[in-house]
Amino acid sequence: MGSKYTKRYTEEFKRDAIALVDSSGKTVTAVARELGISSESLRGWYRRAKADRGEGAPGELTQRRTRRTAPAAQGEPRAAADDRDPEKSDLTTL
């Protein structure tokens, strides 16, 4: 099983790790192994950095959009279908 807490990395560490992937020609997994971090963590940082630079896959969220939309996605309930489509909201008036 894993650790009981999530390790936090500084933004500087993340930038340096991403730069190492870009400059070394090694895979994300190889760089993560050398740094002693999770390859999934580094892969996520790398994808987010690419999206922030405009190099990400179509539809991928940038860091700015992720931060702005995350609280709303976690805290606000979804609207019911009848709230979104006025034609479906009240079938009894027909």
Side-chain angles (χ1 to χ4, degrees), residues 48 52 59-78:
R48 196 169 302 123
D52 288 345
E60 206 166 10
L61 295 179
T62 63
Q63 183 70 16
R64 186 176 69 241
R65 286 183 64 197
T66 302
R67 285 186 185 150
R68 186 178 69 223
T69 58
Q74 293 172 1
E76 295 179 10
R78 292 183 114 165

Short mmCIF file of all heavy atoms in Angstrom, two decimals, residues 48 52 59-78:
data_model
loop_
_atom_site.label_atom_id
_atom_site.label_comp_id
_atom_site.label_asym_id
_atom_site.label_seq_id
_atom_site.Cartn_x
_atom_site.Cartn_y
_atom_site.Cartn_z
N ARG A 48 0.49 19.20 -18.39
CA ARG A 48 -0.05 20.51 -18.03
C ARG A 48 0.86 21.63 -18.55
O ARG A 48 0.38 22.64 -19.06
CB ARG A 48 -0.19 20.61 -16.51
CG ARG A 48 -1.08 21.74 -16.07
CD ARG A 48 -1.42 21.68 -14.60
NE ARG A 48 -2.08 20.43 -14.24
CZ ARG A 48 -1.63 19.58 -13.31
NH1 ARG A 48 -0.54 19.81 -12.65
NH2 ARG A 48 -2.29 18.48 -13.06
N ASP A 52 -0.11 24.54 -21.19
CA ASP A 52 0.10 25.95 -20.87
C ASP A 52 0.90 26.67 -21.95
O ASP A 52 0.72 27.85 -22.18
CB ASP A 52 0.82 26.11 -19.52
CG ASP A 52 -0.08 25.78 -18.34
OD1 ASP A 52 -1.32 25.71 -18.52
OD2 ASP A 52 0.46 25.59 -17.23
N GLY A 59 -8.42 20.35 -26.56
CA GLY A 59 -9.36 20.19 -25.46
C GLY A 59 -8.72 20.03 -24.11
O GLY A 59 -9.41 19.98 -23.10
N GLU A 60 -7.41 19.95 -24.03
CA GLU A 60 -6.73 19.80 -22.76
C GLU A 60 -6.75 21.12 -22.01
O GLU A 60 -6.54 22.18 -22.59
CB GLU A 60 -5.28 19.36 -23.01
CG GLU A 60 -4.68 18.60 -21.88
CD GLU A 60 -3.39 17.91 -22.32
OE1 GLU A 60 -2.89 18.17 -23.41
OE2 GLU A 60 -2.90 17.12 -21.52
N LEU A 61 -7.04 21.07 -20.72
CA LEU A 61 -7.13 22.29 -19.92
C LEU A 61 -5.76 22.81 -19.54
O LEU A 61 -4.86 22.04 -19.22
CB LEU A 61 -7.91 22.01 -18.63
CG LEU A 61 -9.37 21.65 -18.77
CD1 LEU A 61 -9.97 21.38 -17.41
CD2 LEU A 61 -10.13 22.73 -19.47
N THR A 62 -5.62 24.11 -19.56
CA THR A 62 -4.39 24.73 -19.09
C THR A 62 -4.43 24.82 -17.58
O THR A 62 -5.47 24.64 -16.95
CB THR A 62 -4.20 26.14 -19.67
OG1 THR A 62 -5.27 26.95 -19.19
CG2 THR A 62 -4.18 26.14 -21.18
N GLN A 63 -3.30 25.14 -16.96
CA GLN A 63 -3.23 25.29 -15.51
C GLN A 63 -4.21 26.37 -15.04
O GLN A 63 -4.90 26.20 -14.05
CB GLN A 63 -1.80 25.66 -15.11
CG GLN A 63 -1.58 25.76 -13.62
CD GLN A 63 -1.63 24.43 -12.93
OE1 GLN A 63 -1.53 23.38 -13.56
NE2 GLN A 63 -1.77 24.44 -11.64
N ARG A 64 -4.30 27.48 -15.76
CA ARG A 64 -5.17 28.57 -15.37
C ARG A 64 -6.63 28.12 -15.39
O ARG A 64 -7.38 28.37 -14.46
CB ARG A 64 -4.96 29.76 -16.30
CG ARG A 64 -5.73 30.99 -15.86
CD ARG A 64 -5.45 32.20 -16.72
NE ARG A 64 -6.00 32.01 -18.06
CZ ARG A 64 -5.27 31.98 -19.18
NH1 ARG A 64 -3.98 32.14 -19.14
NH2 ARG A 64 -5.84 31.79 -20.36
N ARG A 65 -7.06 27.44 -16.43
CA ARG A 65 -8.44 26.97 -16.53
C ARG A 65 -8.74 25.90 -15.50
O ARG A 65 -9.83 25.83 -14.97
CB ARG A 65 -8.74 26.45 -17.93
CG ARG A 65 -8.87 27.58 -18.94
CD ARG A 65 -9.23 27.07 -20.29
NE ARG A 65 -10.55 26.45 -20.27
CZ ARG A 65 -11.00 25.65 -21.21
NH1 ARG A 65 -10.25 25.36 -22.26
NH2 ARG A 65 -12.19 25.12 -21.14
N THR A 66 -7.76 25.04 -15.21
CA THR A 66 -7.96 23.98 -14.23
C THR A 66 -8.21 24.57 -12.86
O THR A 66 -9.11 24.16 -12.15
CB THR A 66 -6.74 23.05 -14.19
OG1 THR A 66 -6.52 22.53 -15.48
CG2 THR A 66 -6.94 21.92 -13.21
N ARG A 67 -7.43 25.54 -12.47
CA ARG A 67 -7.59 26.16 -11.15
C ARG A 67 -8.91 26.90 -11.05
O ARG A 67 -9.56 26.88 -10.03
CB ARG A 67 -6.44 27.14 -10.89
CG ARG A 67 -5.16 26.45 -10.55
CD ARG A 67 -4.12 27.46 -10.16
NE ARG A 67 -2.85 26.78 -9.94
CZ ARG A 67 -1.69 27.34 -10.16
NH1 ARG A 67 -1.62 28.59 -10.58
NH2 ARG A 67 -0.58 26.68 -9.93
N ARG A 68 -9.32 27.56 -12.13
CA ARG A 68 -10.54 28.35 -12.09
C ARG A 68 -11.77 27.47 -12.01
O ARG A 68 -12.72 27.78 -11.32
CB ARG A 68 -10.62 29.24 -13.33
CG ARG A 68 -11.81 30.19 -13.28
CD ARG A 68 -11.87 31.10 -14.47
NE ARG A 68 -12.21 30.33 -15.65
CZ ARG A 68 -11.63 30.47 -16.83
NH1 ARG A 68 -10.70 31.35 -17.02
NH2 ARG A 68 -11.99 29.73 -17.85
N THR A 69 -11.76 26.33 -12.69
CA THR A 69 -12.95 25.49 -12.75
C THR A 69 -12.98 24.42 -11.67
O THR A 69 -14.04 23.89 -11.39
CB THR A 69 -13.06 24.81 -14.12
OG1 THR A 69 -11.89 24.04 -14.36
CG2 THR A 69 -13.28 25.82 -15.21
N ALA A 70 -11.89 24.10 -11.03
CA ALA A 70 -11.86 23.01 -10.07
C ALA A 70 -12.80 23.22 -8.88
O ALA A 70 -13.56 22.33 -8.55
CB ALA A 70 -10.44 22.75 -9.59
N PRO A 71 -12.81 24.39 -8.22
CA PRO A 71 -13.73 24.53 -7.08
C PRO A 71 -15.19 24.39 -7.48
O PRO A 71 -15.97 23.80 -6.76
CB PRO A 71 -13.45 25.94 -6.57
CG PRO A 71 -12.08 26.25 -7.05
CD PRO A 71 -11.94 25.53 -8.36
N ALA A 72 -15.56 24.89 -8.61
CA ALA A 72 -16.95 24.78 -9.06
C ALA A 72 -17.31 23.33 -9.31
O ALA A 72 -18.40 22.89 -8.98
CB ALA A 72 -17.17 25.61 -10.32
N ALA A 73 -16.39 22.59 -9.87
CA ALA A 73 -16.67 21.18 -10.17
C ALA A 73 -16.82 20.37 -8.89
O ALA A 73 -17.58 19.43 -8.84
CB ALA A 73 -15.55 20.60 -11.03
N GLN A 74 -16.10 20.74 -7.84
CA GLN A 74 -16.15 19.99 -6.59
C GLN A 74 -17.30 20.41 -5.69
O GLN A 74 -17.93 19.59 -5.06
CB GLN A 74 -14.84 20.15 -5.83
CG GLN A 74 -13.68 19.52 -6.52
CD GLN A 74 -12.37 19.86 -5.83
OE1 GLN A 74 -12.35 20.54 -4.82
NE2 GLN A 74 -11.28 19.37 -6.38
N GLY A 75 -17.61 21.70 -5.65
CA GLY A 75 -18.54 22.18 -4.65
C GLY A 75 -19.96 22.43 -5.11
O GLY A 75 -20.88 22.40 -4.32
N GLU A 76 -20.18 22.69 -6.37
CA GLU A 76 -21.51 23.04 -6.83
C GLU A 76 -22.21 21.82 -7.42
O GLU A 76 -21.64 21.08 -8.18
CB GLU A 76 -21.43 24.12 -7.91
CG GLU A 76 -20.90 25.44 -7.40
CD GLU A 76 -20.79 26.47 -8.51
OE1 GLU A 76 -21.31 26.21 -9.62
OE2 GLU A 76 -20.20 27.51 -8.27
N PRO A 77 -23.49 21.64 -7.08
CA PRO A 77 -24.23 20.51 -7.67
C PRO A 77 -24.53 20.78 -9.13
O PRO A 77 -24.61 21.93 -9.57
CB PRO A 77 -25.51 20.46 -6.85
CG PRO A 77 -25.66 21.84 -6.29
CD PRO A 77 -24.27 22.39 -6.13
N ARG A 78 -24.70 19.74 -9.86
CA ARG A 78 -25.04 19.87 -11.28
C ARG A 78 -26.48 20.31 -11.42
O ARG A 78 -27.35 19.96 -10.64
CB ARG A 78 -24.86 18.54 -11.99
CG ARG A 78 -23.45 18.10 -12.09
CD ARG A 78 -23.44 16.84 -12.87
NE ARG A 78 -22.74 17.09 -14.11
CZ ARG A 78 -22.31 16.15 -14.90
NH1 ARG A 78 -22.55 14.90 -14.62
NH2 ARG A 78 -21.68 16.43 -16.00
#
